[in-house]
Amino acid sequence: MAAVFMTVWDSAAEVACGDPVQFTSATIGGANSAAISGSGKKRKRVRLYAEAACWVKYAASPTATGATDAMPLGADNPEYIDIEAGHVLTAITRS
């Protein structure tokens, strides 16, 4: 099964330094999810990379259901987003 990979930095400025604080992944359409380490209201800069086109959703307790509530992510097309520390990412298949 394809996966979404996340590389996490403490801030946007640290992306240029190449010093990530976390690497994690979630299976697309699987029962697992990936959590961003930390807690509180501190935002993290996250690079998402998907092996297959998918919908991703991140929140304290997310359930991705498709176009109405999730962000589209193309295969082999990295995206950078900011996510609250402690939030979780889930992904479902997009055709």
Side-chain angles (χ1 to χ4, degrees):
M1 243 184 178
V4 175
F5 298 92
M6 295 190 301
T7 306
V8 182
W9 292 268
D10 278 330
S11 69
E14 291 181 6
V15 172
C17 298
D19 192 19
V21 296
Q22 181 183 2
F23 297 97
T24 189
S25 64
T27 302
I28 298 172
N32 72 331
S33 58
I36 304 300
S37 62
S39 61
K41 293 294 181 186
K42 179 149 175 49
R43 297 185 73 75
K44 305 279 189 169
R45 176 60 49 101
V46 178
R47 178 184 180 263
L48 300 175
Y49 174 84
E51 294 178 315
C54 61
W55 297 102
V56 295
K57 185 172 182 178
Y58 50 92
S61 182
T63 302
T65 58
T68 60
D69 73 339
M71 178 179 92
L73 185 61
D76 300 322
N77 185 24
E79 288 282 345
Y80 288 85
I81 58 175
D82 290 337
I83 299 178
E84 296 287 337
H87 276 191
V88 175
L89 178 126
T90 60
I92 61 170
T93 303
R94 180 170 64 96
S95 53

Short mmCIF file of all heavy atoms in Angstrom, two decimals, residues 17-80:
data_model
loop_
_atom_site.label_atom_id
_atom_site.label_comp_id
_atom_site.label_asym_id
_atom_site.label_seq_id
_atom_site.Cartn_x
_atom_site.Cartn_y
_atom_site.Cartn_z
N CYS A 17 17.77 25.02 6.82
CA CYS A 17 18.95 24.46 7.50
C CYS A 17 19.03 22.95 7.33
O CYS A 17 20.08 22.35 7.56
CB CYS A 17 18.92 24.79 8.99
SG CYS A 17 18.99 26.55 9.31
N GLY A 18 17.91 22.32 6.96
CA GLY A 18 17.91 20.88 6.76
C GLY A 18 18.02 20.07 8.04
O GLY A 18 18.64 19.01 8.04
N ASP A 19 17.44 20.57 9.13
CA ASP A 19 17.54 19.90 10.42
C ASP A 19 16.16 19.48 10.93
O ASP A 19 15.63 20.05 11.87
CB ASP A 19 18.21 20.85 11.42
CG ASP A 19 18.60 20.14 12.70
OD1 ASP A 19 18.70 18.89 12.68
OD2 ASP A 19 18.80 20.82 13.71
N PRO A 20 15.53 18.46 10.29
CA PRO A 20 14.21 18.02 10.72
C PRO A 20 14.23 17.40 12.12
O PRO A 20 15.24 16.84 12.53
CB PRO A 20 13.78 17.00 9.67
CG PRO A 20 15.02 16.62 8.96
CD PRO A 20 16.03 17.69 9.16
N VAL A 21 13.10 17.50 12.81
CA VAL A 21 12.99 16.95 14.15
C VAL A 21 12.20 15.64 14.18
O VAL A 21 12.18 14.94 15.18
CB VAL A 21 12.34 17.96 15.13
CG1 VAL A 21 13.23 19.18 15.29
CG2 VAL A 21 10.94 18.35 14.68
N GLN A 22 11.54 15.30 13.06
CA GLN A 22 10.74 14.07 13.05
C GLN A 22 10.53 13.60 11.61
O GLN A 22 10.37 14.40 10.70
CB GLN A 22 9.36 14.34 13.70
CG GLN A 22 8.46 13.14 13.75
CD GLN A 22 7.09 13.47 14.34
OE1 GLN A 22 6.80 14.62 14.68
NE2 GLN A 22 6.25 12.48 14.45
N PHE A 23 10.54 12.28 11.42
CA PHE A 23 10.15 11.63 10.18
C PHE A 23 9.07 10.63 10.55
O PHE A 23 9.24 9.85 11.49
CB PHE A 23 11.32 10.86 9.55
CG PHE A 23 12.46 11.73 9.13
CD1 PHE A 23 13.56 11.89 9.96
CD2 PHE A 23 12.44 12.39 7.92
CE1 PHE A 23 14.63 12.68 9.58
CE2 PHE A 23 13.51 13.19 7.53
CZ PHE A 23 14.60 13.33 8.37
N THR A 24 7.95 10.61 9.82
CA THR A 24 6.88 9.66 10.09
C THR A 24 6.08 9.43 8.82
O THR A 24 6.28 10.13 7.82
CB THR A 24 5.97 10.13 11.25
OG1 THR A 24 5.08 9.09 11.62
CG2 THR A 24 5.20 11.38 10.89
N SER A 25 5.17 8.46 8.82
CA SER A 25 4.35 8.18 7.65
C SER A 25 3.02 7.58 8.05
O SER A 25 2.86 7.10 9.17
CB SER A 25 5.08 7.23 6.70
OG SER A 25 5.26 5.98 7.30
N ALA A 26 2.08 7.63 7.12
CA ALA A 26 0.76 7.02 7.32
C ALA A 26 0.39 6.31 6.03
O ALA A 26 0.62 6.83 4.93
CB ALA A 26 -0.29 8.08 7.65
N THR A 27 -0.20 5.15 6.13
CA THR A 27 -0.65 4.39 4.96
C THR A 27 -1.88 5.06 4.38
O THR A 27 -2.81 5.42 5.11
CB THR A 27 -0.99 2.94 5.35
OG1 THR A 27 0.16 2.35 5.94
CG2 THR A 27 -1.44 2.14 4.15
N ILE A 28 -1.90 5.25 3.05
CA ILE A 28 -3.06 5.85 2.40
C ILE A 28 -4.19 4.84 2.39
O ILE A 28 -4.04 3.73 1.89
CB ILE A 28 -2.72 6.28 0.96
CG1 ILE A 28 -1.64 7.35 0.98
CG2 ILE A 28 -3.97 6.78 0.23
CD1 ILE A 28 -1.09 7.71 -0.38
N GLY A 29 -5.32 5.21 2.97
CA GLY A 29 -6.47 4.33 3.03
C GLY A 29 -6.37 3.27 4.12
O GLY A 29 -7.25 2.45 4.27
N GLY A 30 -5.31 3.30 4.88
CA GLY A 30 -5.13 2.33 5.96
C GLY A 30 -5.79 2.79 7.24
O GLY A 30 -6.31 3.89 7.35
N ALA A 31 -5.75 1.93 8.22
CA ALA A 31 -6.37 2.23 9.50
C ALA A 31 -5.46 3.04 10.40
O ALA A 31 -5.87 3.52 11.44
CB ALA A 31 -6.74 0.93 10.20
N ASN A 32 -4.20 3.23 9.99
CA ASN A 32 -3.28 3.98 10.84
C ASN A 32 -3.23 5.45 10.46
O ASN A 32 -3.73 5.86 9.42
CB ASN A 32 -1.88 3.37 10.80
CG ASN A 32 -1.16 3.62 9.49
OD1 ASN A 32 -1.78 3.76 8.45
ND2 ASN A 32 0.14 3.70 9.54
N SER A 33 -2.65 6.25 11.32
CA SER A 33 -2.46 7.67 11.07
C SER A 33 -1.09 8.03 11.59
O SER A 33 -0.41 7.22 12.20
CB SER A 33 -3.55 8.48 11.77
OG SER A 33 -3.53 8.20 13.15
N ALA A 34 -0.67 9.26 11.35
CA ALA A 34 0.65 9.70 11.81
C ALA A 34 0.47 10.95 12.66
O ALA A 34 -0.21 11.89 12.25
CB ALA A 34 1.54 9.99 10.63
N ALA A 35 1.07 10.96 13.83
CA ALA A 35 0.96 12.10 14.74
C ALA A 35 2.20 12.97 14.67
O ALA A 35 3.32 12.47 14.50
CB ALA A 35 0.76 11.61 16.17
N ILE A 36 2.00 14.27 14.78
CA ILE A 36 3.10 15.23 14.85
C ILE A 36 3.51 15.32 16.32
O ILE A 36 2.67 15.57 17.19
CB ILE A 36 2.68 16.62 14.34
CG1 ILE A 36 2.12 16.52 12.92
CG2 ILE A 36 3.83 17.61 14.42
CD1 ILE A 36 3.08 16.00 11.91
N SER A 37 4.78 15.12 16.61
CA SER A 37 5.22 15.13 18.01
C SER A 37 5.10 16.51 18.62
O SER A 37 5.06 17.52 17.92
CB SER A 37 6.67 14.64 18.10
OG SER A 37 7.52 15.52 17.40
N GLY A 38 5.04 16.55 19.95
CA GLY A 38 4.92 17.79 20.68
C GLY A 38 3.50 18.00 21.16
O GLY A 38 2.62 17.18 20.93
N SER A 39 3.31 19.09 21.86
CA SER A 39 1.97 19.40 22.37
C SER A 39 1.82 20.91 22.47
O SER A 39 2.76 21.66 22.24
CB SER A 39 1.77 18.75 23.73
OG SER A 39 2.72 19.26 24.64
N GLY A 40 0.64 21.33 22.84
CA GLY A 40 0.39 22.76 22.97
C GLY A 40 0.03 23.38 21.63
O GLY A 40 -0.31 22.69 20.69
N LYS A 41 0.12 24.69 21.56
CA LYS A 41 -0.27 25.41 20.35
C LYS A 41 0.90 25.74 19.43
O LYS A 41 0.82 26.59 18.59
CB LYS A 41 -0.99 26.71 20.74
CG LYS A 41 -2.32 26.47 21.40
CD LYS A 41 -3.28 25.84 20.44
CE LYS A 41 -4.62 25.63 21.09
NZ LYS A 41 -5.54 24.89 20.25
N LYS A 42 2.03 25.08 19.61
CA LYS A 42 3.19 25.34 18.77
C LYS A 42 2.98 24.73 17.39
O LYS A 42 2.66 23.55 17.26
CB LYS A 42 4.45 24.75 19.40
CG LYS A 42 5.70 24.96 18.57
CD LYS A 42 6.93 25.08 19.41
CE LYS A 42 8.20 25.17 18.63
NZ LYS A 42 8.27 26.09 17.57
N ARG A 43 3.14 25.54 16.36
CA ARG A 43 2.98 25.06 14.99
C ARG A 43 4.30 24.48 14.49
O ARG A 43 5.36 24.93 14.86
CB ARG A 43 2.50 26.18 14.09
CG ARG A 43 1.13 26.68 14.50
CD ARG A 43 0.58 27.70 13.55
NE ARG A 43 0.16 27.15 12.28
CZ ARG A 43 -0.96 26.45 12.08
NH1 ARG A 43 -1.74 26.15 13.08
NH2 ARG A 43 -1.28 26.03 10.88
N LYS A 44 4.20 23.47 13.65
CA LYS A 44 5.35 22.82 13.04
C LYS A 44 5.24 22.96 11.53
O LYS A 44 4.15 22.92 10.97
CB LYS A 44 5.39 21.32 13.38
CG LYS A 44 5.35 20.99 14.86
CD LYS A 44 6.70 21.13 15.47
CE LYS A 44 6.68 20.57 16.89
NZ LYS A 44 7.99 20.44 17.44
N ARG A 45 6.37 23.11 10.84
CA ARG A 45 6.40 23.11 9.38
C ARG A 45 6.55 21.67 8.95
O ARG A 45 7.45 20.96 9.40
CB ARG A 45 7.55 23.96 8.88
CG ARG A 45 7.77 23.98 7.38
CD ARG A 45 6.62 24.50 6.52
NE ARG A 45 6.04 25.76 6.92
CZ ARG A 45 6.31 26.93 6.36
NH1 ARG A 45 7.15 27.00 5.36
NH2 ARG A 45 5.70 28.02 6.78
N VAL A 46 5.66 21.20 8.06
CA VAL A 46 5.62 19.79 7.67
C VAL A 46 5.68 19.67 6.15
O VAL A 46 4.96 20.37 5.43
CB VAL A 46 4.34 19.10 8.18
CG1 VAL A 46 4.27 17.65 7.73
CG2 VAL A 46 4.25 19.20 9.69
N ARG A 47 6.56 18.80 5.68
CA ARG A 47 6.63 18.47 4.25
C ARG A 47 5.89 17.17 4.05
O ARG A 47 6.23 16.14 4.66
CB ARG A 47 8.07 18.32 3.78
CG ARG A 47 8.19 17.93 2.32
CD ARG A 47 9.67 17.71 1.97
NE ARG A 47 9.85 17.35 0.60
CZ ARG A 47 10.00 16.09 0.16
NH1 ARG A 47 9.98 15.09 1.01
NH2 ARG A 47 10.17 15.84 -1.11
N LEU A 48 4.85 17.18 3.21
CA LEU A 48 4.10 15.97 2.90
C LEU A 48 4.53 15.47 1.53
O LEU A 48 4.66 16.25 0.58
CB LEU A 48 2.60 16.27 2.86
CG LEU A 48 1.95 16.79 4.13
CD1 LEU A 48 0.50 17.13 3.87
CD2 LEU A 48 2.08 15.77 5.24
N TYR A 49 4.75 14.18 1.42
CA TYR A 49 5.09 13.55 0.15
C TYR A 49 4.28 12.27 0.05
O TYR A 49 4.36 11.39 0.92
CB TYR A 49 6.59 13.23 0.08
CG TYR A 49 6.94 12.46 -1.17
CD1 TYR A 49 7.17 13.11 -2.37
CD2 TYR A 49 7.00 11.07 -1.14
CE1 TYR A 49 7.47 12.40 -3.52
CE2 TYR A 49 7.30 10.35 -2.28
CZ TYR A 49 7.53 11.03 -3.47
OH TYR A 49 7.81 10.32 -4.60
N ALA A 50 3.45 12.17 -1.00
CA ALA A 50 2.59 11.00 -1.17
C ALA A 50 3.08 10.13 -2.32
O ALA A 50 3.47 10.65 -3.37
CB ALA A 50 1.16 11.42 -1.43
N GLU A 51 3.06 8.83 -2.12
CA GLU A 51 3.41 7.88 -3.19
C GLU A 51 2.28 7.73 -4.20
O GLU A 51 2.50 7.28 -5.32
CB GLU A 51 3.73 6.52 -2.59
CG GLU A 51 4.96 6.51 -1.74
CD GLU A 51 5.23 5.15 -1.13
OE1 GLU A 51 4.29 4.51 -0.62
OE2 GLU A 51 6.39 4.73 -1.17
N ALA A 52 1.05 8.08 -3.81
CA ALA A 52 -0.11 7.99 -4.68
C ALA A 52 -1.03 9.17 -4.38
O ALA A 52 -1.00 9.73 -3.29
CB ALA A 52 -0.86 6.68 -4.44
N ALA A 53 -1.85 9.56 -5.36
CA ALA A 53 -2.78 10.66 -5.16
C ALA A 53 -3.72 10.32 -4.00
O ALA A 53 -4.22 9.20 -3.89
CB ALA A 53 -3.59 10.90 -6.43
N CYS A 54 -3.94 11.30 -3.13
CA CYS A 54 -4.77 11.04 -1.95
C CYS A 54 -5.40 12.32 -1.42
O CYS A 54 -5.09 13.42 -1.87
CB CYS A 54 -3.93 10.38 -0.85
SG CYS A 54 -2.56 11.41 -0.27
N TRP A 55 -6.31 12.15 -0.48
CA TRP A 55 -6.88 13.25 0.31
C TRP A 55 -6.24 13.15 1.68
O TRP A 55 -6.17 12.06 2.25
CB TRP A 55 -8.39 13.11 0.45
CG TRP A 55 -9.15 13.18 -0.84
CD1 TRP A 55 -9.67 12.13 -1.54
CD2 TRP A 55 -9.48 14.35 -1.57
NE1 TRP A 55 -10.29 12.58 -2.67
CE2 TRP A 55 -10.20 13.95 -2.71
CE3 TRP A 55 -9.24 15.71 -1.36
CZ2 TRP A 55 -10.69 14.86 -3.64
CZ3 TRP A 55 -9.73 16.61 -2.30
CH2 TRP A 55 -10.44 16.18 -3.43
N VAL A 56 -5.79 14.27 2.23
CA VAL A 56 -5.22 14.26 3.57
C VAL A 56 -5.99 15.23 4.46
O VAL A 56 -6.50 16.25 3.99
CB VAL A 56 -3.71 14.62 3.59
CG1 VAL A 56 -2.90 13.57 2.88
CG2 VAL A 56 -3.46 15.98 3.01
N LYS A 57 -6.08 14.88 5.71
CA LYS A 57 -6.74 15.73 6.69
C LYS A 57 -5.92 15.67 7.97
O LYS A 57 -5.41 14.61 8.34
CB LYS A 57 -8.16 15.26 6.95
CG LYS A 57 -8.92 16.19 7.89
CD LYS A 57 -10.37 15.83 7.99
CE LYS A 57 -11.09 16.81 8.89
NZ LYS A 57 -12.52 16.50 8.97
N TYR A 58 -5.80 16.81 8.63
CA TYR A 58 -5.06 16.86 9.89
C TYR A 58 -5.86 17.67 10.89
O TYR A 58 -6.48 18.68 10.57
CB TYR A 58 -3.65 17.43 9.70
CG TYR A 58 -3.60 18.72 8.93
CD1 TYR A 58 -3.64 19.94 9.59
CD2 TYR A 58 -3.52 18.73 7.55
CE1 TYR A 58 -3.59 21.13 8.89
CE2 TYR A 58 -3.48 19.91 6.84
CZ TYR A 58 -3.51 21.12 7.51
OH TYR A 58 -3.47 22.28 6.82
N ALA A 59 -5.91 17.16 12.11
CA ALA A 59 -6.64 17.79 13.21
C ALA A 59 -6.30 17.01 14.47
O ALA A 59 -5.51 16.07 14.43
CB ALA A 59 -8.14 17.77 12.94
N ALA A 60 -6.94 17.36 15.57
CA ALA A 60 -6.70 16.64 16.82
C ALA A 60 -7.16 15.19 16.69
O ALA A 60 -6.53 14.28 17.22
CB ALA A 60 -7.41 17.33 17.97
N SER A 61 -8.28 14.95 15.98
CA SER A 61 -8.80 13.60 15.79
C SER A 61 -9.49 13.54 14.42
O SER A 61 -10.71 13.53 14.34
CB SER A 61 -9.78 13.26 16.91
OG SER A 61 -10.26 11.95 16.76
N PRO A 62 -8.71 13.48 13.33
CA PRO A 62 -9.30 13.58 11.99
C PRO A 62 -9.83 12.28 11.42
O PRO A 62 -9.36 11.20 11.77
CB PRO A 62 -8.13 14.06 11.15
CG PRO A 62 -6.97 13.37 11.78
CD PRO A 62 -7.26 13.38 13.27
N THR A 63 -10.79 12.41 10.51
CA THR A 63 -11.25 11.32 9.67
C THR A 63 -11.41 11.89 8.27
O THR A 63 -12.32 12.68 8.03
CB THR A 63 -12.59 10.74 10.16
OG1 THR A 63 -12.45 10.30 11.50
CG2 THR A 63 -13.04 9.58 9.29
N ALA A 64 -10.53 11.55 7.36
CA ALA A 64 -10.60 12.05 5.99
C ALA A 64 -11.68 11.29 5.25
O ALA A 64 -11.70 10.06 5.25
CB ALA A 64 -9.25 11.88 5.30
N THR A 65 -12.60 12.03 4.60
CA THR A 65 -13.67 11.39 3.86
C THR A 65 -13.71 11.81 2.40
O THR A 65 -14.55 11.36 1.66
CB THR A 65 -15.04 11.68 4.51
OG1 THR A 65 -15.24 13.09 4.55
CG2 THR A 65 -15.13 11.10 5.90
N GLY A 66 -12.84 12.71 1.98
CA GLY A 66 -12.80 13.09 0.58
C GLY A 66 -12.83 14.58 0.36
O GLY A 66 -12.49 15.37 1.24
N ALA A 67 -13.28 14.97 -0.82
CA ALA A 67 -13.18 16.35 -1.29
C ALA A 67 -13.87 17.38 -0.41
O ALA A 67 -13.51 18.54 -0.43
CB ALA A 67 -13.73 16.44 -2.70
N THR A 68 -14.85 16.99 0.33
CA THR A 68 -15.60 17.98 1.11
C THR A 68 -14.91 18.41 2.39
O THR A 68 -15.26 19.43 2.96
CB THR A 68 -17.00 17.44 1.47
OG1 THR A 68 -16.84 16.25 2.24
CG2 THR A 68 -17.81 17.15 0.22
N ASP A 69 -13.92 17.65 2.85
CA ASP A 69 -13.32 18.01 4.12
C ASP A 69 -11.81 17.77 4.21
O ASP A 69 -11.24 17.82 5.28
CB ASP A 69 -13.99 17.24 5.26
CG ASP A 69 -13.60 15.77 5.28
OD1 ASP A 69 -13.14 15.25 4.25
OD2 ASP A 69 -13.74 15.15 6.34
N ALA A 70 -11.17 17.52 3.07
CA ALA A 70 -9.74 17.18 3.11
C ALA A 70 -8.99 17.90 1.99
O ALA A 70 -9.58 18.41 1.05
CB ALA A 70 -9.56 15.67 3.00
N MET A 71 -7.67 17.94 2.11
CA MET A 71 -6.81 18.60 1.14
C MET A 71 -6.30 17.58 0.11
O MET A 71 -5.81 16.51 0.49
CB MET A 71 -5.61 19.20 1.89
CG MET A 71 -4.60 19.89 1.02
SD MET A 71 -3.25 20.59 1.99
CE MET A 71 -2.10 19.23 1.98
N PRO A 72 -6.40 17.88 -1.19
CA PRO A 72 -5.87 16.95 -2.19
C PRO A 72 -4.34 17.01 -2.22
O PRO A 72 -3.75 18.09 -2.08
CB PRO A 72 -6.46 17.45 -3.50
CG PRO A 72 -6.71 18.89 -3.27
CD PRO A 72 -7.01 19.04 -1.81
N LEU A 73 -3.72 15.87 -2.37
CA LEU A 73 -2.27 15.78 -2.46
C LEU A 73 -1.94 14.87 -3.63
O LEU A 73 -2.40 13.73 -3.68
CB LEU A 73 -1.69 15.23 -1.16
CG LEU A 73 -0.17 15.19 -1.04
CD1 LEU A 73 0.42 16.60 -1.13
CD2 LEU A 73 0.24 14.56 0.28
N GLY A 74 -1.19 15.39 -4.60
CA GLY A 74 -0.84 14.62 -5.78
C GLY A 74 0.32 13.68 -5.51
O GLY A 74 1.16 13.92 -4.64
N ALA A 75 0.39 12.60 -6.27
CA ALA A 75 1.50 11.66 -6.15
C ALA A 75 2.79 12.34 -6.59
O ALA A 75 2.81 13.09 -7.56
CB ALA A 75 1.24 10.42 -7.00
N ASP A 76 3.86 12.08 -5.86
CA ASP A 76 5.18 12.61 -6.18
C ASP A 76 5.19 14.15 -6.28
O ASP A 76 5.92 14.72 -7.09
CB ASP A 76 5.71 12.00 -7.48
CG ASP A 76 5.84 10.49 -7.39
OD1 ASP A 76 6.23 10.01 -6.31
OD2 ASP A 76 5.55 9.80 -8.37
N ASN A 77 4.35 14.81 -5.50
CA ASN A 77 4.23 16.27 -5.53
C ASN A 77 4.27 16.80 -4.10
O ASN A 77 3.24 16.97 -3.47
CB ASN A 77 2.91 16.65 -6.21
CG ASN A 77 2.78 18.12 -6.39
OD1 ASN A 77 3.76 18.85 -6.42
ND2 ASN A 77 1.55 18.59 -6.49
N PRO A 78 5.46 17.07 -3.56
CA PRO A 78 5.56 17.49 -2.16
C PRO A 78 4.85 18.80 -1.87
O PRO A 78 4.78 19.68 -2.73
CB PRO A 78 7.06 17.65 -1.93
CG PRO A 78 7.74 17.25 -3.17
CD PRO A 78 6.73 17.03 -4.23
N GLU A 79 4.29 18.91 -0.69
CA GLU A 79 3.61 20.12 -0.22
C GLU A 79 4.16 20.46 1.16
O GLU A 79 4.47 19.57 1.95
CB GLU A 79 2.10 19.88 -0.09
CG GLU A 79 1.38 19.76 -1.38
CD GLU A 79 1.11 21.10 -2.05
OE1 GLU A 79 1.25 22.15 -1.39
OE2 GLU A 79 0.78 21.08 -3.24
N TYR A 80 4.24 21.74 1.46
CA TYR A 80 4.64 22.21 2.78
C TYR A 80 3.44 22.86 3.45
O TYR A 80 2.78 23.71 2.83
CB TYR A 80 5.78 23.23 2.68
CG TYR A 80 7.10 22.60 2.29
CD1 TYR A 80 7.42 22.39 0.96
CD2 TYR A 80 8.01 22.22 3.26
CE1 TYR A 80 8.63 21.81 0.60
CE2 TYR A 80 9.23 21.64 2.91
CZ TYR A 80 9.52 21.44 1.58
OH TYR A 80 10.72 20.87 1.24
#
